[in-house]
Amino acid sequence: MEWKNQTTLVEFILKGLSGYPQLELLFFVLIFVMYVVILLGNGSLILISILDSHLHTPMYFFLGNLSFLDICYTTTSIPSALVNFLSERKSISFSGCAVQMFLGLAMGTTECVLLGMMAFDRYVAICNPLRYPVIMSKDSYVPMAAGSWLSGLMNSAVQTALVVQLPFCRNNIINHFSCEILAVMKLACADISGNEFIMLVATTLFTLTPLLLIVISYSLIISSILKISTAEGRSKAFSTCSAHLTVVIIFYGTILFMYMKPKSKETLDSDDLDATDKLISMFYGVMTPMMNPLIYSLRNKDVKEAVKLLFNRRLFSK
């Protein structure tokens, strides 16, 4: 443990899977491959949505933001985790940890809000199709996306600032792959009840409120779809929102499973994460961003047609 003036902690140790050295090389290869897929998949989706004029719509504008968000979110933690898998000293500086906390929380919060905005977009498209161009004009969807980013940055700035001001004078071992804000907060040798209350308020505002918007939007969407008389019409209407609904289920389903999964008595007593908890956390942080472009490309006819069109253009240009 390193100190500055005997009072200020200057680095943390990321425990990760250090208790399972035989798994570290395996997970290095696995996560590295997933990270490459995340960069290629989300990068391709951003490129396609920019190059194909048919995809210059609110839905694909939000999708481009979501892909860029996933790239940023994973880049805040995966490269350092990969380095730690191969190094004996799995340390991160206090300032580096603060940056990682800020970016990770900002990207996570932004994604929650952005998914809520995307649900509202699908609601308007299906339940009010004639008014869709007016309601979801550029003057509407650009501020909606900007508001999502601003919400994430503001929430993270406040919470990170409160955490870095706490005194850390005991344990400097973070039982996680990265500087997750709650794991860092629990290392402080001070009363953190105020921080926990602010985190609870922020979680309600930026995680549960978007989830409520998603639930209400899809309740109205399903009700509207069931009123369509033909099976073909119902299938076409549902196909316009099935990709987003799948992403929402994976995103929020993983969060709910992480926090509602029963914990062993030892884990409850020590506040430690067991190996299963860490792997679930990894799934949330890596698998979801990797799956998003696959879901939107495999379940979306417009994206598949845009890919074919771009390939045909390149072939004919040669």
Side-chain angles (χ1 to χ4, degrees), residues 29-58:
V29 175
L30 185 62
I31 295 175
F32 177 76
V33 171
M34 289 179 174
Y35 185 51
V36 172
V37 173
I38 288 169
L39 295 179
L40 292 177
N42 286 285
S44 299
L45 209 51
I46 293 171
L47 192 63
I48 290 168
S49 64
I50 293 173
L51 295 178
D52 194 314
S53 59
H54 296 95
L55 301 184
H56 293 175
T57 63

Side-chain angles (χ1 to χ4, degrees), residues 5-271:
N5 297 330
Q6 299 297 315
T7 57
T8 305
L9 194 66
V10 297
E11 75 168 11
F12 290 103
I13 305 298
L14 297 171
K15 189 174 180 181
L17 285 174
S18 57
Y20 305 87
Q22 68 278 11
L23 295 178
E24 290 191 322
L25 182 59
L26 171 65
F27 277 98
F28 172 84
V29 175
L30 185 62
I31 295 175
F32 177 76
V33 171
M34 289 179 174
Y35 185 51
V36 172
V37 173
I38 288 169
L39 295 179
L40 292 177
N42 286 285
S44 299
L45 209 51
I46 293 171
L47 192 63
I48 290 168
S49 64
I50 293 173
L51 295 178
D52 194 314
S53 59
H54 296 95
L55 301 184
H56 293 175
T57 63
M59 175 181 172
Y60 294 103
F61 178 77
F62 286 131
L63 181 57
N65 275 265
L66 183 64
S67 294
F68 180 67
L69 189 63
D70 284 337
I71 291 174
C72 294
Y73 181 76
T74 52
T75 302
T76 63
S77 58
I78 290 181
S80 63
L82 292 175
V83 171
N84 287 337
F85 277 136
L86 298 181
S87 62
E88 292 185 7
R89 185 168 178 77
K90 308 175 189 300
S91 61
I92 183 171
S93 67
F94 186 89
S95 58
C97 189
V99 170
Q100 197 172 79
M101 277 192 297
F102 171 75
L103 293 176
L105 183 59
M107 298 304 108
T109 303
T110 303
E111 184 155 359
C112 290
V113 180
L114 190 62
L115 288 173
M117 298 297 183
M118 294 173 75
F120 177 75
D121 171 72
R122 292 299 83 206
Y123 157 73
V124 177
I126 294 174
C127 299
N128 295 281
L130 297 179
R131 298 185 60 197
Y132 182 76
V134 177
I135 297 174
M136 296 303 297
S137 65
K138 191 172 184 178
D139 291 337
S140 298
Y141 68 77
V142 171
M144 288 168 67
S148 300
W149 285 93
L150 186 61
S151 298
L153 293 172
M154 288 179 62
N155 174 48
S156 184
V158 171
Q159 294 205 51
T160 303
L162 291 173
V163 171
V164 297
Q165 291 177 13
L166 292 171
F168 295 92
C169 50
R170 293 185 301 183
N171 185 11
N172 72 334
I173 299 176
I174 300 174
N175 193 19
H176 213 284
F177 293 103
S178 62
C179 288
E180 195 270 332
I181 191 165
L182 186 59
V184 175
M185 192 191 303
K186 289 182 177 179
L187 298 180
C189 51
D191 181 17
I192 61 171
S193 58
N195 298 72
E196 290 177 330
F197 176 75
I198 291 173
M199 182 172 286
L200 176 63
V201 173
T203 300
T204 303
L205 184 61
F206 297 113
T207 304
L208 299 183
T209 301
L211 178 59
L212 180 62
L213 177 61
I214 291 168
V215 171
I216 293 173
S217 296
Y218 275 100
S219 298
L220 295 172
I221 287 171
I222 293 171
S223 176
S224 181
I225 290 175
L226 293 177
K227 292 177 182 177
I228 299 175
S229 56
T230 64
E232 183 181 355
R234 289 194 295 270
S235 176
K236 184 178 180 180
F238 184 73
S239 67
T240 64
C241 61
S242 60
H244 175 258
L245 183 59
T246 304
V247 168
V248 167
I249 290 172
I250 293 174
F251 182 81
Y252 276 101
T254 308
I255 293 176
L256 291 173
F257 184 76
M258 282 173 60
Y259 290 101
M260 296 180 68
K261 184 181 77 68
K263 291 179 169 57
S264 64
K265 186 177 185 300
E266 291 79 7
T267 302
L268 288 170
D269 292 340
S270 63
D271 285 331

